Structure formats: C-alpha cells, structure tokens
Amino acid sequence: SQQGEEDPQALSIQEGENATMNCSYKTSINNLQWYRQNSGRGLVHLILIRSNEREKHSGRLRVTLDTSKKSSSLLITASRAADTASYFCARPLTQGAQKLVFGQGTRLTINP
Amino acid sequence: DTGVSQDPRHKITKRGQNVTFRCDPISEHNRLYWYRQTLGQGPEFLTYFQNEAQLEKSRLLSDRFSAERPKGSFSTLEIQRTEQGDSAMYLCASSPPGVQGSSYNEQFFGPGTRLTVL
C-alpha cells in the first residue's frame, strides 16, 4: 500500500493559472522528492528537497516542505498545456533507505 | 540517448506463460531499482540492486518473480506462470553512487514495460 497522500487526486485549470499540489506523509524523512509522469511513460525527477530545507525553486516549480506538519507542496506557476501529467511525491521508506515510497499522485490537466 | 532503457516496451502474454523484461541503467549508476505501477496508482517498490547484489526485496515480489543483475550492469526481471493480476507497468530506475550515509537518491526512470496478461 502507498504511504503518503497527494491532494487533490485530480486538478483541472486553465493555461496560465498556477497549480498547487500537496503531499502528506506519516513518518520522519530526510528528503522528499517530486516526480512527473506523462501518460503511459516513465517518471521524470523534478525536485529533491532535504529535511533541513523549507523551500526550493526550479524554473516555474516551487516546492515547500513543512516537517512539523509532515507535508509538502508543489507549485507550478504560469501553467502550460505541456504541464499536463501526473505528479507524485516520493520519500525514502526510512531514513537512509534506498526504497522510495510514492503517493497515488495528482492528475493535472491544463486546459488551453 | 544515455537514459535508462527498458525492453520490451509492451508485452502481451497468456496466463501461465513466463515473461522476462530487461533494463539497461545509466552506465555510471551502480544502483538499480524495479517498481510496479498499476493504473491510477503510484509506483510500488519491488527490488533494489547495488552493483550485482540484490539488497532488498518487497513482499510484493512473490516466488514467481525473480530479478538478476549478474554483472552489475543490466538487469532482468522474470515472472513465471503469469497471472492476470500481474498486468501492470514495470518500471526500472537507476541512481548513481551516493555519498556514504546519504540517502539523497534521485532516481532516473526508464519508460517502463507494460505487461498485459490475458
């Protein structure tokens, strides 16, 4: 079973708007990662944020991490049709573990 | 293309048949992972290799599943006596050697092999 939840499960917005996806988890982490998956394809790594970081940027992506609330968010600004994909958060099962545990993902649709 | 490659991309088989998938990781990556993903779900961990050693196996990996990485390069995942419940996307990922004690393991995924068991 998956550990960690993404919210919402599906999100549909107009091109140009910002999209925010949230991820919650239950145990302590030393890093959390976000991945994107286009339909029927493999996953692409977006951002890794460490537990001692609160915010990280990459282009139009902004990730925040609140370890006290055990939650993270991914913000995509000025969305484009090409951003249509599923977005997953993932974390090592335990600190130091290689195994990544993924949530169910958020299916993002950008309408032109 | 120097990314992770998987072969075949699609496999349709009849229940009871054996299937084998291959994964070629990024060349300098010593860590290799197999995940399974069903429709609408996130990937679920199956097994992990560091070089040729299989260090971890999920309880999802029943006796019908076996994975190898004989020379620490490519890996194969075999499913024997396939069942309809094995239908899924099988994803391979690799990651480079990490700093000792670090789990900052960004994983690079291949395109996956979609298995359909009829």
Side-chain angles (χ1 to χ4, degrees), chain B residues 28-49:
Chain B
E28 63 268 25
H29 289 186
N30 66 334
R31 297 172 179 171
L32 186 147
Y33 315 80
W34 285 99
Y35 292 84
R36 181 174 69 187
Q37 184 179 27
T38 53
L39 196 62
Q41 301 295 316
E44 293 179 296
F45 172 83
L46 292 179
T47 190
Y48 153 63
F49 290 85

Side-chain angles (χ1 to χ4, degrees), chain B residues 67-87:
Chain B
E68 295 183 345
R69 194 183 183 198
K71 297 182 180 178
S73 56
F74 73 91
S75 174
T76 58
L77 177 68
E78 180 182 15
I79 309 175
Q80 297 182 327
R81 305 181 302 282
T82 52
E83 301 173 356
Q84 289 183 325
D86 297 331
S87 295

Side-chain angles (χ1 to χ4, degrees), chain A residues 35-97:
Chain A
Y35 288 82
R36 182 186 72 222
Q37 184 177 37
N38 290 86
S39 180
R41 304 187 67 175
L43 283 79
V44 174
H45 184 269
L46 296 176
I47 288 184
L48 181 151
I49 187 165
R50 302 178 182 185
S51 59
N52 61 354
E53 297 175 317
R54 291 296 169 259
E55 189 170 306
K56 203 162 183 179
H57 297 253
S58 176
R60 294 182 297 110
L61 307 180
R62 180 171 75 97
V63 167
T64 63
L65 179 63
D66 187 333
T67 54
S68 66
K69 295 182 179 178
K70 291 187 168 55
S71 68
S72 175
S73 67
L74 170 66
L75 168 68
I76 304 175
T77 60
S79 63
R80 304 168 182 170
D83 295 328
T84 294
S86 291
Y87 293 81
F88 297 91
C89 67
R91 60 176 183 82
L93 178 62
T94 59
Q95 294 190 17

Side-chain angles (χ1 to χ4, degrees), chain B:
Chain B
D1 187 349
T2 57
V4 178
S5 62
Q6 292 187 245
D7 183 68
R9 295 291 305 276
H10 303 273
K11 179 69 177 178
I12 300 174
T13 191
K14 292 182 179 180
R15 185 164 51 97
Q17 298 294 305
N18 299 343
V19 295
T20 300
F21 309 141
R22 176 179 170 125
C23 170
D24 287 89
I26 294 172
S27 59
E28 63 268 25
H29 289 186
N30 66 334
R31 297 172 179 171
L32 186 147
Y33 315 80
W34 285 99
Y35 292 84
R36 181 174 69 187
Q37 184 179 27
T38 53
L39 196 62
Q41 301 295 316
E44 293 179 296
F45 172 83
L46 292 179
T47 190
Y48 153 63
F49 290 85
Q50 183 162 306
N51 300 311
E52 66 275 9
Q54 188 174 19
L55 297 185
E56 189 173 354
K57 292 173 61 174
S58 164
R59 284 174 291 180
L60 292 174
L61 219 61
S62 75
D63 292 345
R64 297 184 298 104
F65 288 71
S66 63
E68 295 183 345
R69 194 183 183 198
K71 297 182 180 178
S73 56
F74 73 91
S75 174
T76 58
L77 177 68
E78 180 182 15
I79 309 175
Q80 297 182 327
R81 305 181 302 282
T82 52
E83 301 173 356
Q84 289 183 325
D86 297 331
S87 295
M89 175 78 87
Y90 290 85
L91 295 165
C92 176
S94 68
S95 65
V99 174
Q100 188 172 2
S102 169
S103 68
Y104 299 148
N105 55 335
E106 172 187 346
Q107 297 182 15
F108 296 79
F109 282 79
T113 294
R114 180 167 296 283
L115 173 66
T116 302
V117 181
L118 301 175

